[in-house]
Amino acid sequence: QYSLKIATRLKNDAAQFARLWADYQNSFVANGASSVTDLSDSMFYLETVVKDVKLAQVLGLNNKCSNNSCELNAESPYANAGYDFILANLQAFETIFSGGDGYGFDDAYIERGEAAAAAAMLSDIALARSTAEKLSSQTQSLYAYAETVDRDDCENFAAAPTTGETACHLYGQIKIISDKLKTEFTTIISTGIPNSAAGDGD
């Protein structure tokens, strides 16, 4: 009965979000400039939450974990779906940047003569997504990995993100993307860094 109530709530919430988006679409299209800013700001979720909270705070890579049990910060510690959620975040980020089957930020790059930068960003996203896919398909959870990982090793893996496929490498791969968000993306698209990400110093 409890599971049924949860499923019913999720179904109703999903339907409500669909209705809200349907109502908002006209406004989103009509207010082009502000909508681009809102969309740009939303992409920094990859940095402020996925990189800094879902990975760094769990792996002990930032000062937001002040004890030796950083794995306790892992998302979904009981269902062990931490990697699945990170993969979903990366897939959503990729869809926003590429526009899916339509116009995306990559097209805006190309219009501004930055085709090479667009291709490089898509390649960076594809690498992180591929790593997340492999991690989500394995038996070891993010919680279990963080529980045993050596912090110095993790920092080394993060600093050489293309050399492996651990959560620490994934952190480094996502950092490459987020660093580009704060530099070339905001320059090419002519947007700013949202306040939530402006104070990030890594």
Side-chain angles (χ1 to χ4, degrees), residues 19-36:
R19 287 194 299 272
L20 289 171
W21 170 244
D23 293 340
Y24 180 63
Q25 284 187 74
N26 290 335
S27 174
F28 185 87
V29 173
N31 299 288
S34 63
S35 295
V36 168

Side-chain angles (χ1 to χ4, degrees), residues 73-100:
N73 296 316
E75 184 179 22
S76 184
Y78 303 110
N80 292 328
Y83 287 133
D84 296 332
F85 292 143
I86 292 172
L87 173 58
N89 296 146
L90 283 165
Q91 290 170 332
F93 182 90
E94 182 176 40
T95 298
I96 294 173
F97 184 80
S98 69

Side-chain angles (χ1 to χ4, degrees), residues 66-143:
S66 58
N67 56 51
N68 293 322
S69 301
C70 297
E71 69 276 1
L72 297 177
N73 296 316
E75 184 179 22
S76 184
Y78 303 110
N80 292 328
Y83 287 133
D84 296 332
F85 292 143
I86 292 172
L87 173 58
N89 296 146
L90 283 165
Q91 290 170 332
F93 182 90
E94 182 176 40
T95 298
I96 294 173
F97 184 80
S98 69
D101 295 328
Y103 185 90
F105 283 115
D106 60 332
D107 297 301
Y109 270 48
I110 294 169
E111 289 175 354
R112 291 161 173 77
E114 299 290 350
M121 178 70 98
L122 288 171
S123 178
D124 293 335
I125 298 169
L127 175 61
R129 177 173 46 77
S130 175
T131 300
E133 287 173 349
K134 292 173 182 176
L135 290 171
S136 68
S137 66
Q138 68 178 15
T139 56
Q140 185 185 47
S141 68
L142 176 58
Y143 179 98

Side-chain angles (χ1 to χ4, degrees), residues 32-73:
S34 63
S35 295
V36 168
T37 299
D38 290 341
L39 198 58
S40 170
D41 288 353
S42 75
M43 297 180 73
F44 283 84
Y45 181 90
L46 188 73
E47 167 158 355
T48 59
V49 178
V50 180
K51 178 175 72 72
D52 289 346
V53 178
K54 295 188 179 187
L55 286 171
Q57 194 167 320
V58 176
L59 298 169
L61 294 175
N62 61 20
N63 58 11
K64 295 178 183 178
C65 175
S66 58
N67 56 51
N68 293 322
S69 301
C70 297
E71 69 276 1
L72 297 177
N73 296 316

